[in-house]
Amino acid sequence: MSRLELPDDTGFGLDNLPLGVFSTPGTAPRTGVRIGDSVLDVARLTNDPVHATGSLNAWLAGGPTAWRDLRSRLTDVLAADRPQPLHPVGDVRMHLPFEVADYVDFYSSRHHAENVGRIFRPDGEALTPNWRHLPIGYHGRSGSVAVSGTPVVRPCGQRLDGDRPTFGPSRRLDLEAEVGFVVGVPSEQGTRVPLGAFPEHVFGVCLVNDWSARDVQAWEYVPLGPFLGKSFLTSVSPWVVPLAALESARTAPPARDVALLPHLDDAGEPWALDLALEVRINGTVVSRPPFRDMYWTPAQQLAHLTSNGASLSTGDLYASGTVSGADRDQRGCLLELTWNGTEPLALDDGSTRGFLEDGDEVTISASAPGANGGRIGFGEVTGRVLPAR
Amino acid sequence: MSRLELPDDTGFGLDNLPLGVFSTPGTAPRTGVRIGDSVLDVARLTNDPVHATGSLNAWLAGGPTAWRDLRSRLTDVLAADRPQPLHPVGDVRMHLPFEVADYVDFYSSRHHAENVGRIFRPDGEALTPNWRHLPIGYHGRSGSVAVSGTPVVRPCGQRLDGDRPTFGPSRRLDLEAEVGFVVGVPSEQGTRVPLGAFPEHVFGVCLVNDWSARDVQAWEYVPLGPFLGKSFLTSVSPWVVPLAALESARTAPPARDVALLPHLDDAGEPWALDLALEVRINGTVVSRPPFRDMYWTPAQQLAHLTSNGASLSTGDLYASGTVSGADRDQRGCLLELTWNGTEPLALDDGSTRGFLEDGDEVTISASAPGANGGRIGFGEVTGRVLPAR
């Protein structure tokens, strides 16, 4: 126990120090760090205006030096004494922690891609020919990224009714349990970010729920990919866990089927991360997706994303794609968990779900191994479904 | 002739008044309006700090009232006397006119979609089943949008060599002649923007070259759409032509094959626009795409984009997709003009092109009918291809 009286299983001990943006009633949003069940006001502690902007972006742009300096200072302050000003986490409101520049969503779980392939293209190969050779991804809508707790208004959209398109509230609203990576340091257009430079650009990690309207998506996505089936809302957890807190979570990626091209060959840069996710619907745990099984790592995703010279901006967010393991109770979305609604899932209250119903609350949480056998907590990303307007 | 001595065919007369961001040597970027071959310094003329931010965004957010007020003031100033401070257009440097929030690219030319379908999916229907029912679109990379004149560094990427993926400089670098629409007024998440509200949100129009690496795109795009084949650079023209200048360009859209769902039925809101585009490679005119033939209008694209409740942000840019007409010399990209490189195009210097070569300069320009038989000019978007790094 530190002098903050942190229980051993807090997930928010001195080895974590995730950053977010919070406010208390009547005050402006500012940077805070979570420690145990409290939030330390980093803006007041440091008196640095970069922490009073209501967004992590300006500080994120400072890069690894700024990241290390603040972490070192917070470690000293928190280890030495009970710091001020500290707020109980229940007394603060959390905000979107960073202004999202570009948002990219990958498709890097082999189990997920195979399941989706079997469901949507039952007559073809489960994986498309490119899948083992590159981390498939696409751009999502950055303006639709919102902080955990934002209501999920059921989207309307165009979908097939038999063989006729109609417009109305989605009937196949789904969750997607994902892990997101937050870029701090930009890169120049025309240059690439090699695998080894991943921790020079990416500050940290959050949880992502990439809400999906499967009926809209199924009708629209050929040939240019998902659009309105995804763009109504993407929720992120309020705390960004620094990569620096995940040293004990680094692990080897799964064996690959094919030799990788040099810019994606991560033999020397294994950045798989042993995050254990948990998905709950109305309190029932419906899945425990293992992030360590992802075929493509976040370092490979970044190397791929910039391999054509695309620049990075401070605030870029890229997500892993749905995290699914090999087992049925490790699947990261209802499309897979219920096999497109054909095998409904039982909740603890006795009800069943094919897809999400109005009023349902979905919560994704995660933890990872920390220093000295402890755990690193990610908090949670949650949202309740409201009826279509 | 006004007192500014504007030739009749300037394209930048009193009925146009496009806005951009410019600087002169040693000064900061600020808002300007183009009149004839001059740029009027709007920041100095008005002394309004909103015009000194180096981006149109803050002013765009002011909405139709701010747009009308400035247009009215500029009209008065320019009609009354030779205004100051005026700079020759050749003496200023133009900048990206607005900070791009989300960038969406549509696929709304039927001729283009049919040609691409025939080239990439020769055994199937040219149009996918959804094409006539909704304006297909996808999100692009907003951080890669740059102003006209930005060099086009040939992107590297993964593409098939026979049946084996390799990595290297794209061999099928292409242009795409498009028209872009710039959102000024945001909308709230969970709400829709109906067809009739198009001019309440969209300020104006620019030209777009959505550079494309066809070999990269062909390998990556199944199943989630274009990604690195597009995300290395998207160029926009420096002048944003107000919708208010395009009243004489409004026209009826082409007849549609199927009845449209109510939110896309534009019988009462015909927003096809009679823009005449021209594409030049190293000075040779290779195409004259007619924007008036687009199947889906920008008002329908906006209604579709927000039909799921996705919010709009100030600075959102959405582009039409490649503009192609029915005739061969009206096709808006080399993929179509050369039928995927199999029918090379002759340039005036006697050389031929399948796709773009290092050193090639591509320029897209456009004009539209203005008041009293005059023309509204859009200027141009241009870029020269540099060798891969």
Side-chain angles (χ1 to χ4, degrees):
Chain A
M1 305 276 274
S2 84
R3 300 176 69 173
L4 272 161
E5 304 197 8
L6 299 171
D8 287 341
D9 62 351
T10 168
F12 297 102
L14 286 169
D15 52 349
N16 190 346
L17 305 182
L19 295 178
V21 171
F22 78 102
S23 63
T24 49
T27 66
R30 56 203 182 274
T31 301
V33 62
R34 179 150 175 190
I35 182 77
D37 288 331
S38 301
V39 176
L40 176 65
D41 186 333
V42 175
R44 284 192 57 191
L45 176 79
T46 62
N47 226 1
D48 184 340
V50 78
H51 296 303
T53 58
S55 146
L56 298 180
N57 290 52
W59 177 77
L60 286 172
T65 304
W67 308 342
R68 274 191 298 265
D69 286 353
L70 180 63
R71 189 168 181 81
S72 166
R73 175 152 181 202
L74 291 173
T75 303
D76 291 347
V77 166
L78 291 166
D81 206 346
R82 185 173 173 79
Q84 294 295 334
L86 213 57
H87 302 274
V89 72
D91 290 357
V92 307
R93 178 177 161 208
M94 298 305 298
H95 301 265
L96 187 65
F98 54 99
E99 290 168 51
V100 183
D102 269 302
Y103 167 48
V104 166
D105 195 22
F106 283 95
Y107 189 58
S108 290
S109 159
R110 178 168 180 161
H111 305 294
H112 172 69
E114 286 179 340
N115 286 333
V116 171
R118 288 188 191 112
I119 291 168
F120 280 142
R121 295 175 292 275
D123 300 327
E125 288 288 318
L127 293 181
T128 51
N130 51 10
W131 200 93
R132 293 176 184 84
H133 295 279
L134 52 80
I136 291 175
Y138 67 101
H139 285 93
R141 189 163 185 81
S142 55
S144 294
V145 178
V147 72
S148 174
T150 301
V152 187
V153 178
R154 182 180 297 272
C156 290
Q158 205 181 109
R159 61 279 197 275
L160 279 189
D161 247 338
D163 60 355
R164 191 175 58 99
T166 60
F167 182 86
S170 170
R171 298 159 182 152
R172 293 179 180 250
L173 182 61
D174 202 354
L175 63 103
E176 288 195 334
E178 307 198 11
V179 176
F181 295 84
V182 181
V183 171
V185 176
S187 69
E188 195 190 338
Q189 205 157 26
T191 66
R192 295 182 228 158
V193 176
L195 279 170
F198 166 65
E200 305 299 314
H201 290 272
V202 169
F203 165 69
V205 184
C206 62
L207 302 178
V208 177
N209 189 340
D210 193 41
W211 306 95
S212 300
R214 299 300 185 189
D215 43 357
V216 176
Q217 183 185 352
W219 172 234
E220 75 179 355
Y221 90 107
V222 174
L224 299 187
F227 185 37
L228 299 189
K230 302 280 194 169
S231 66
F232 55 97
L233 180 67
T234 302
S235 301
V236 297
S237 59
W239 296 109
V240 183
V241 173
L243 277 188
L246 297 173
E247 274 304 316
S248 302
R250 282 187 71 173
T251 182
R256 275 65 174 254
D257 288 1
V258 300
L260 297 180
L261 286 166
H263 67 296
L264 295 174
D265 183 353
D266 63 347
E269 297 287 343
W271 267 105
L273 291 167
D274 184 16
L275 276 53
L277 275 63
E278 187 178 89
V279 182
R280 280 172 286 151
I281 299 178
N282 302 338
T284 302
V285 175
V286 298
S287 180
R288 291 194 169 87
F291 190 68
R292 65 175 299 152
D293 288 355
M294 300 296 281
Y295 195 88
W296 299 102
T297 74
Q300 290 172 312
Q301 290 166 341
L302 193 72
H304 181 60
L305 171 57
T306 60
S307 63
N308 66 349
S311 58
L312 298 176
S313 303
T314 299
D316 280 351
L317 169 68
Y318 65 96
S320 57
T322 305
V323 183
S324 291
D327 299 335
R328 181 175 169 161
D329 62 359
Q330 295 181 322
R331 296 172 184 167
C333 64
L334 287 172
L335 177 70
E336 294 169 83
L337 284 163
T338 72
W339 213 252
N340 203 17
T342 60
E343 303 171 12
L345 202 66
L347 302 186
D348 291 346
D349 67 1
S351 65
T352 61
R353 289 294 180 283
F355 289 94
L356 294 173
E357 298 185 357
D358 291 346
D360 281 351
E361 186 174 65
V362 178
T363 302
I364 303 165
S365 55
S367 72
N372 308 316
R375 300 294 292 176
I376 299 289
F378 287 75
E380 59 185 39
V381 54
T382 190
R384 185 181 294 276
V385 179
L386 300 186
R389 285 183 192 162
Chain B
M1 304 275 275
S2 84
R3 300 177 68 172
L4 272 161
E5 304 197 9
L6 299 171
D8 288 341
D9 62 350
T10 168
F12 297 103
L14 286 169
D15 52 349
N16 190 345
L17 304 182
L19 295 178
V21 171
F22 79 102
S23 64
T24 48
T27 66
R30 56 202 183 276
T31 301
V33 61
R34 180 151 174 190
I35 182 77
D37 289 331
S38 301
V39 178
L40 175 65
D41 186 332
V42 176
R44 284 192 58 191
L45 175 79
T46 62
N47 226 0
D48 185 340
V50 79
H51 297 302
T53 58
S55 145
L56 298 180
N57 290 52
W59 176 77
L60 286 173
T65 303
W67 308 343
R68 273 191 298 265
D69 286 353
L70 180 63
R71 189 168 181 81
S72 166
R73 173 148 184 207
L74 291 173
T75 303
D76 291 347
V77 166
L78 291 167
D81 207 346
R82 184 173 175 80
Q84 295 294 335
L86 213 58
H87 302 274
V89 72
D91 289 357
V92 308
R93 179 179 161 205
M94 298 305 299
H95 301 264
L96 187 65
F98 54 99
E99 290 168 50
V100 183
D102 270 301
Y103 167 49
V104 166
D105 196 22
F106 283 95
Y107 189 57
S108 290
S109 158
R110 178 166 180 164
H111 304 294
H112 172 69
E114 286 179 341
N115 285 333
V116 171
R118 287 188 192 111
I119 290 168
F120 280 144
R121 296 175 292 275
D123 301 328
E125 289 288 318
L127 293 181
T128 52
N130 51 9
W131 200 92
R132 292 176 185 84
H133 295 278
L134 52 79
I136 291 175
Y138 67 101
H139 285 93
R141 189 164 185 81
S142 56
S144 293
V145 178
V147 72
S148 174
T150 301
V152 188
V153 178
R154 181 180 296 275
C156 290
Q158 206 181 108
R159 62 280 199 274
L160 278 188
D161 245 338
D163 60 355
R164 191 174 57 99
T166 60
F167 182 86
S170 171
R171 297 161 183 151
R172 293 180 179 249
L173 182 61
D174 202 353
L175 64 102
E176 288 195 335
E178 307 197 11
V179 175
F181 295 84
V182 181
V183 171
V185 177
S187 69
E188 196 191 336
Q189 204 156 27
T191 66
R192 294 183 230 158
V193 176
L195 280 170
F198 167 65
E200 304 299 313
H201 290 272
V202 168
F203 165 69
V205 184
C206 61
L207 302 178
V208 177
N209 189 339
D210 193 42
W211 306 95
S212 299
R214 299 300 184 189
D215 43 357
V216 175
Q217 182 185 353
W219 172 234
E220 76 180 354
Y221 91 106
V222 175
L224 300 187
F227 185 37
L228 300 189
K230 302 279 194 171
S231 67
F232 54 98
L233 180 67
T234 302
S235 300
V236 296
S237 58
W239 296 109
V240 183
V241 173
L243 277 189
L246 297 173
E247 275 303 315
S248 301
R250 282 187 71 173
T251 183
R256 276 64 175 254
D257 288 1
V258 299
L260 297 180
L261 286 166
H263 66 296
L264 295 174
D265 183 354
D266 64 347
E269 297 288 342
W271 266 105
L273 291 167
D274 184 16
L275 275 54
L277 274 63
E278 186 177 271
V279 182
R280 279 172 287 151
I281 299 178
N282 302 338
T284 302
V285 176
V286 298
S287 180
R288 292 194 169 89
F291 189 67
R292 65 175 298 152
D293 287 357
M294 299 297 280
Y295 195 89
W296 298 102
T297 74
Q300 288 173 313
Q301 290 166 340
L302 194 71
H304 180 61
L305 171 58
T306 60
S307 63
N308 65 349
S311 58
L312 298 176
S313 302
T314 299
D316 280 352
L317 169 68
Y318 64 97
S320 58
T322 304
V323 183
S324 291
D327 299 336
R328 180 175 171 164
D329 62 359
Q330 296 181 322
R331 297 172 183 167
C333 64
L334 288 171
L335 177 70
E336 294 168 83
L337 284 163
T338 72
W339 213 253
N340 202 17
T342 61
E343 302 171 11
L345 202 65
L347 302 186
D348 290 345
D349 65 1
S351 66
T352 61
R353 290 293 179 283
F355 289 93
L356 295 172
E357 297 185 359
D358 291 346
D360 281 351
E361 186 174 64
V362 178
T363 302
I364 302 165
S365 56
S367 72
N372 309 316
R375 298 296 292 175
I376 299 290
F378 287 75
E380 58 185 39
V381 54
T382 190
R384 185 181 294 276
V385 179
L386 300 186
R389 285 182 190 161

